[in-house]
Amino acid sequence: MSVVLWGVLPYLAIVTLVGGTVWRYRYDQFGWTTRSSQLYESRLLRIGSPLFHFGLVFVIVGHIGGLVIPMSWTEAVGITQEQYHAVALSVGGIAGFCTLVGIAILVYRRRRTGPVFMATTKNDKLMYVVLVGAIVLGLWATIAGANAGHEGNYRATVSPWFRSIFLLQPDVESMAEAPLTFQIHTLTGLALIAIFPFTRLVHAFTAPLHYLFRPYIVYRSRDARPTPGASAPRRGWDPVGTRDRDR
């Protein structure tokens, strides 16, 4: 069972993510959207959406730092495990709490606003259940790991397993020794990865990040000086044509 859960299931989730994304892009480009419901209700959306999205960004960054960066690297630069754990617990706890509050507001809004609820699909309901479960289990694992001391150090069990997945040499034994809370949280995360391409979460792959770096759009020049060799500028209400045609 350990081999199936920690040696086979991760690759099935990754294959489903990649294959489902390609399929969705090729055959459902018009459905590649968040199906925005801001037109129906905006007050709760203005509160819940920033809380959820910004909190989720910090949660993802924290997961990348904790799972990708080996513990030996942070210790080599003078960061002890206690210091790292204190920062991860405080910052990660705040980010996770903000994410949970944000998703709770969005779910409440979706359930209480009639037109928004009518536009909710079965995939959306499944996505919300798995996503909320992953957030709650993540907070639970963080709190439980803080109380477990050295036994709750996921950087000695979950992190080596996570890195070994991408090396195509899954360290099943390390993940099998992880606390049950981290195992359940990991399984929920794999389920979220598998359903990702088939829900509205797929819009994260097309976030308009290029808008932050695009040049300014110049609609008209404010330079009144004529360009050498160019005709004089024409006013918008002047007739268009040659003098011969005007005669």
Side-chain angles (χ1 to χ4, degrees):
M1 183 58 67
S2 296
V3 174
V4 173
L5 292 178
W6 316 123
V8 178
L9 191 60
Y11 294 107
L12 292 179
I14 294 174
V15 169
T16 305
L17 172 65
V18 176
T21 303
V22 173
W23 174 86
R24 183 82 181 268
Y25 182 78
R26 292 192 59 183
Y27 299 103
D28 190 29
Q29 292 190 28
F30 291 104
W32 192 298
T33 173
T34 59
R35 295 190 295 276
S36 176
S37 56
Q38 185 178 2
L39 179 65
Y40 303 123
E41 199 281 334
S42 60
R43 183 176 62 87
L44 292 176
L45 185 64
R46 286 197 298 266
I47 301 174
S49 182
L51 274 175
F52 171 72
H53 285 92
F54 284 108
L56 188 62
V57 168
F58 283 98
V59 168
I60 293 175
V61 171
H63 275 69
I64 294 176
L67 297 176
V68 176
I69 300 177
M71 184 167 53
S72 59
W73 291 16
T74 55
E75 291 179 347
V77 296
I79 302 176
T80 63
Q81 176 59 22
E82 290 74 16
Q83 294 172 341
Y84 179 91
H85 191 69
V87 174
L89 181 61
S90 57
V91 178
I94 295 174
F97 178 76
C98 292
T99 307
L100 182 60
V101 172
I103 193 67
I105 294 175
L106 294 178
V107 171
Y108 173 81
R109 168 184 175 272
R110 183 163 295 275
R111 184 63 184 86
R112 298 294 296 178
T113 307
V116 180
F117 183 72
M118 293 295 293
T120 305
T121 64
K122 294 181 179 179
N123 284 353
D124 292 334
K125 296 177 182 179
L126 176 63
M127 180 269 296
Y128 278 117
V129 171
V130 178
L131 182 58
V132 172
I135 297 172
V136 172
L137 290 170
L139 286 174
W140 177 34
T142 301
I143 298 174
N147 297 328
H150 179 72
E151 296 180 356
N153 184 14
Y154 67 90
R155 303 181 73 197
T157 54
V158 182
S159 297
W161 167 80
F162 179 82
R163 294 191 295 268
S164 68
I165 292 296
F166 297 94
L167 297 176
L168 303 181
Q169 296 177 350
D171 189 358
V172 176
E173 291 77 11
S174 294
M175 191 62 197
E177 296 175 356
L180 181 61
T181 53
F182 290 106
Q183 293 181 350
I184 298 176
H185 177 54
T186 301
L187 291 176
T188 309
L190 292 177
L192 185 63
I193 291 174
I195 68 173
F196 196 98
F198 312 104
T199 64
R200 66 176 62 208
L201 293 176
V202 74
H203 77 277
F205 290 142
T206 52
L209 298 179
H210 62 280
Y211 279 88
L212 301 175
F213 309 101
R214 69 174 184 173
Y216 292 106
I217 299 177
V218 179
Y219 291 95
R220 67 177 184 177
S221 175
R222 295 182 179 274
D223 190 359
R225 294 174 299 178
T227 303
S231 59
R234 185 186 299 272
R235 294 173 297 180
W237 56 84
D238 288 341
V240 178
T242 62
R243 295 181 179 180
D244 295 338
R245 292 179 182 178
D246 294 337
R247 292 176 183 176

